[in-house]
Amino acid sequence: MKHHTGPIGEPGSSVEIDESKFGKRTCHRGRFIEAHWAFGCICRESKACFLVPVERRDKDTLLPIIRGQVLPGTHVMSDLWKCYDCLQNEGYQHLTGKHNC
């Protein structure tokens, strides 16, 4: 993978997006250690990717990042997180899948 400095994707390519919480805690035990949220994307074809820290995982936070980093017409693949419901209206081909935990 390579960290990308400009927008990723293009019409016909696929980009996976997701958010994750980073912190340290062993096997979900012990005292709570403060963690931080990050949002990232990776293009399946070029392997270009980016990861940015975010304070919140809401539509007002994530949608401007997606608009600025993922080119319109790209197939965007995400989980069923509610804030991604608007991607079809933003010029992306939106595909969803459920995490297997």
Side-chain angles (χ1 to χ4, degrees), residues 25-76:
R25 206 167 133 186
T26 306
C27 298
H28 303 288
R29 294 184 203 166
R31 65 185 173 92
F32 175 76
I33 305 290
E34 185 168 336
H36 303 279
W37 283 103
F39 174 75
C41 297
I42 184 166
C43 180
R44 285 186 162 189
E45 290 78 19
S46 69
K47 305 299 185 221
C49 63
F50 70 87
L51 184 68
V52 295
V54 293
E55 292 292 321
R56 292 180 303 280
R57 303 179 303 145
D58 60 2
K59 180 179 172 181
D60 293 335
T61 301
L62 300 181
L63 189 55
I65 297 169
I66 295 168
R67 282 188 198 131
Q69 296 293 328
V70 181
L71 293 172
T74 301
H75 291 95
V76 177

